[in-house]
Amino acid sequence: MQNEIERVLSEFRILDREKRKIFLLSLVEECDPHEVFTLQQGLKLKGFGAFDIIGSLPPELSVKIFAFLDDKNLCACREVCKTWMNITNESAIWRLKCLEMLKIDKGAKSAQNMNIPKEGWKKWYQKQYRREVNWINGRVQTVNILRGHKERISDAKLKENILVTGSADRTVRIWNIDTGECIRTLCGNSFSCVDFLLEEQIVAASTFFRSSFIWNMETGELLRELSGHVSAVRCISLSKSYVASCAFDGSLIVWNWRTGEKLATIPAEAVQIRIFESTILSLSSSSIKAFDIPNGNCIFSAPFNEGLLGWSYIQNYLLSKSAEDSMNGFPDQIVSSSNILNIIRLCSDSRVYDFDARGGRMISVNSGTLQLILLNETCQPNATRPHCLCNVETSQPMEIEYPQGKYKAILNKEVVRTLNMDHRRVIVGYLSGTIAILDFEPS
């Protein structure tokens, strides 16, 4: 390395300032990040002064280099000089930091379609950072109560700012949770499960009386009623072309929801299912299987004895992955991961729970109290373990703090029936029909 520096310096001495910039640009492009520091120290040692290599580079290259730093080091670099302060203020850097915080791959479609926040990427990142601090400390910032259902909430699904809830009061309600408004009420029978697709603007719901319904979200028009099960339906799942439901008798039926055509009846003995494009993942008492649609052939099978809790984690992980890319198979290492056993150990007493698998969080109910568990606070995903839970052993359930404590006495008296969460909110459905939105984002 020392001989290489001597060679570089001998070439560097004979160049004027502009040529030095061009020379350094080509050199830095070939350097690893740690070699840039070594090069700068070598220049200083040989009497060339504290030449600012980074500040002399073209802005787009300086931004790429600074984007490798974490937020703490970026804040330290901005104090070095005005040039570095201007570089660290570049919105391209903070956009990448926002994607990292939201666990979104920068090449994914959702990243490319993200709109520029009105306050700018840097201030938006600061807001998200404060939200993360609130998450880690279990501090809810605001609580909004939605009322409309008259009986227990049987299921709830949250996507972006739309919440769909099914209830035993014979209604499905569609809510805009930003405004707290019930957009539409859909009537039918006592509903056991719901699902919906924002891109297709459809809602699906199944009843305890063996039927499933498909509605248009915008108009409320009933598009289809599907029948075929001989017992109550326990789970329903939608994709762009298909709807599948499983009943308490273990049967799994797939329809084309656009035409109402029944495509397959699969004796899967399934207790839970989830559609990924043209593949159905199902859980039975002892295994997880994947079936191809529409022929119903089993294309993947793995032993699995971790029950609904382990299944819920896997399903949420795969859902977060399939939101970015189409599924090309189901990773065996997740299904067979021994770390799922640690989740079971932590949450074995929880009957109501939900995961933010991408963010490494879990919300559960213990003795009527909402608790937050951080599953992978310090761990980063890697190639061999798509979602590693290396420090789940040390995670301890944390009781959620309500703002000024005024909601704790009220909400902890209610019986929780459903939980649903995204990267900033927790939706709680109660036996009474009340829905609480717990928001961790600072106002």
Side-chain angles (χ1 to χ4, degrees):
M1 183 66 182
Q2 187 63 35
N3 292 335
E4 184 68 14
I5 291 177
E6 291 291 345
R7 182 189 66 78
V8 169
L9 290 174
S10 63
E11 297 177 15
F12 190 73
R13 288 189 181 94
I14 61 175
L15 301 176
D16 58 28
R17 185 173 180 83
E18 286 303 315
K19 289 183 178 180
R20 284 182 180 182
K21 285 186 178 182
I22 297 172
F23 179 81
L24 286 170
L25 174 59
S26 62
L27 185 63
V28 169
E29 285 180 332
E30 299 176 4
C31 289
D32 292 329
H34 70 277
E35 291 175 336
V36 174
F37 176 78
T38 304
L39 179 61
Q40 191 169 18
Q41 294 303 307
L43 288 169
K44 186 175 181 180
L45 185 65
K46 296 298 181 178
F48 287 93
F51 183 73
D52 182 7
I53 296 178
I54 303 297
S56 301
L57 294 174
E60 60 272 18
L61 186 55
S62 300
V63 167
K64 286 186 177 180
I65 293 172
F66 272 64
F68 284 101
L69 300 177
D70 59 24
D71 47 12
K72 183 178 180 180
N73 285 316
L74 280 171
C75 292
C77 286
R78 66 175 282 106
E79 303 299 322
V80 171
C81 63
K82 185 176 286 188
T83 301
W84 282 28
M85 182 179 70
N86 291 335
I87 296 172
T88 58
N89 283 334
E90 285 290 332
S91 61
I93 295 176
W94 295 104
R95 177 182 177 275
L96 290 174
K97 297 303 168 191
C98 289
L99 294 177
E100 289 173 10
M101 182 169 288
L102 296 175
K103 308 294 189 298
I104 299 175
D105 188 281
K106 63 182 180 181
K109 289 182 180 179
S110 57
Q112 298 167 5
N113 295 333
M114 284 186 72
N115 295 322
I116 300 174
K118 60 182 180 181
E119 64 267 49
W121 288 109
K122 185 179 178 182
K123 287 189 176 180
W124 196 65
Y125 177 84
Q126 292 170 341
K127 186 176 181 180
Q128 306 313 302
Y129 179 83
R130 290 193 295 271
R131 185 205 67 220
E132 288 298 300
V133 172
N134 293 331
W135 261 113
I136 291 170
N137 291 287
R139 295 172 184 163
V140 175
Q141 299 301 293
T142 58
V143 178
N144 294 316
I145 304 296
L146 305 180
R147 290 187 172 90
H149 286 297
K150 305 301 181 184
E151 295 187 38
R152 70 181 183 275
I153 306 298
S154 55
D155 197 12
K157 292 291 189 300
L158 172 65
K159 297 175 185 178
E160 297 181 14
N161 68 327
I162 299 298
L163 172 69
V164 174
T165 55
S167 172
D169 66 0
R170 305 171 68 91
T171 66
V172 170
R173 290 178 180 265
I174 304 172
W175 310 82
N176 182 322
I177 58 175
D178 288 341
T179 64
E181 176 190 4
C182 178
I183 303 172
R184 196 165 300 283
T185 300
L186 308 171
C187 299
N189 215 313
S190 183
F191 292 100
S192 57
C193 49
V194 297
D195 199 7
F196 70 104
L197 291 176
L198 275 177
E199 59 270 29
E200 299 289 344
Q201 287 292 296
I202 63 164
V203 174
S206 293
T207 74
F208 290 106
F209 300 95
R210 297 175 282 183
S211 296
S212 299
F213 299 87
I214 309 290
W215 290 277
N216 183 301
M217 290 178 66
E218 292 182 323
T219 65
E221 177 189 1
L222 178 62
L223 302 178
R224 201 82 52 202
E225 180 176 352
L226 307 171
S227 301
H229 290 290
V230 296
S231 63
V233 180
R234 69 194 308 168
C235 182
I236 192 166
S237 184
L238 278 167
S239 72
K240 291 182 180 179
S241 301
Y242 308 106
V243 58
S245 60
C246 69
F248 280 88
D249 62 7
S251 64
L252 193 167
I253 301 180
V254 185
W255 288 271
N256 181 322
W257 62 260
R258 297 179 188 275
T259 64
E261 177 188 4
K262 183 189 292 187
L263 301 176
T265 300
I266 303 170
E269 296 299 324
V271 295
Q272 290 288 322
I273 59 170
R274 174 58 64 179
I275 295 184
F276 297 90
E277 298 299 333
S278 60
T279 306
I280 300 177
L281 192 67
S282 74
L283 171 72
S284 69
S285 59
S286 60
S287 65
I288 285 181
K289 295 182 179 180
F291 299 92
D292 185 42
I293 301 174
N295 56 37
N297 292 335
C298 182
I299 59 175
F300 171 88
S301 180
F304 195 74
N305 297 304
E306 318 313 332
L308 289 174
L309 193 62
W311 156 266
S312 296
Y313 174 78
I314 291 171
Q315 178 188 202
N316 277 275
Y317 175 78
L318 292 175
L319 281 171
S320 68
K321 178 174 169 49
S322 68
E324 309 303 328
D325 308 290
S326 60
M327 295 296 295
N328 296 314
F330 298 95
D332 293 36
Q333 59 266 43
I334 296 179
V335 174
S336 59
S337 171
S338 61
N339 286 313
I340 293 175
L341 293 175
N342 292 326
I343 298 175
I344 304 298
R345 177 185 61 80
L346 282 169
C347 317
S348 58
D349 295 331
S350 300
R351 294 187 178 182
V352 185
Y353 47 80
D354 193 31
F355 291 97
D356 174 11
R358 179 183 293 174
R361 305 182 181 99
M362 177 181 177
I363 295 289
S364 65
V365 180
N366 190 352
S367 301
T369 301
L370 285 177
Q371 292 184 331
L372 168 67
I373 300 173
L374 302 176
L375 298 175
N376 62 338
E377 184 178 298
T378 60
C379 185
Q380 295 297 322
N382 57 55
T384 57
R385 272 186 172 172
H387 199 71
C388 177
L389 305 175
C390 66
N391 73 332
V392 71
E393 293 278 2
T394 61
S395 294
Q396 295 297 322
M398 179 189 309
E399 185 174 336
I400 290 177
E401 298 179 13
Y402 295 104
Q404 301 176 351
K406 65 180 181 178
Y407 291 97
K408 181 176 180 179
I410 300 172
L411 296 182
N412 283 6
K413 287 182 179 178
E414 296 240 29
V415 178
V416 178
R417 293 303 302 264
T418 63
L419 283 173
N420 205 248
M421 65 189 294
D422 61 9
H423 63 275
R424 58 168 277 199
R425 292 167 294 216
V426 177
I427 310 296
V428 190
Y430 292 99
L431 182 64
S432 65
T434 300
I435 301 164
I437 302 172
L438 313 180
D439 202 324
F440 290 80
E441 191 160 299
S443 54

